[in-house]
Amino acid sequence: LLAADATTAARAALALGHLRDPRALPALVELLGEASEPLAEALHGALRAIGDPALFALVGAVGAPSAALRRGAADALGALG
């Protein structure tokens, strides 16, 4: 996920989503605070694939000290519906 380019990071995020492993949530949620639009869309897809555990992680991130992370988490919650 810490790839030099957004395309590689987006592919990695989607691959983690396909695994549906909640252990990936901390890394995925953390990136929401610094994600470009294409990466944010990939992160939303990965979080959607993980399902309910992602919702709990995002709700927790809405209270994060970082304004960018709070905004990213709120956007992701909106994207998940």
Side-chain angles (χ1 to χ4, degrees):
L1 290 173
L2 299 176
D5 66 280
T7 301
T8 302
R11 287 182 181 153
L14 290 173
L16 287 171
H18 286 296
L19 294 174
R20 297 177 188 224
D21 188 341
R23 292 178 295 179
L25 287 170
L28 294 170
V29 171
E30 174 107 11
L31 278 177
L32 287 170
E34 53 194 79
S36 63
E37 186 64 29
L39 178 54
E41 289 178 18
L43 290 167
H44 295 169
L47 293 165
R48 187 178 303 110
I50 293 173
D52 287 344
L55 294 175
F56 296 116
L58 289 170
V59 168
V62 170
S66 163
L69 180 52
R70 289 193 308 267
R71 189 171 33 258
D75 289 347
L77 282 168
L80 296 177

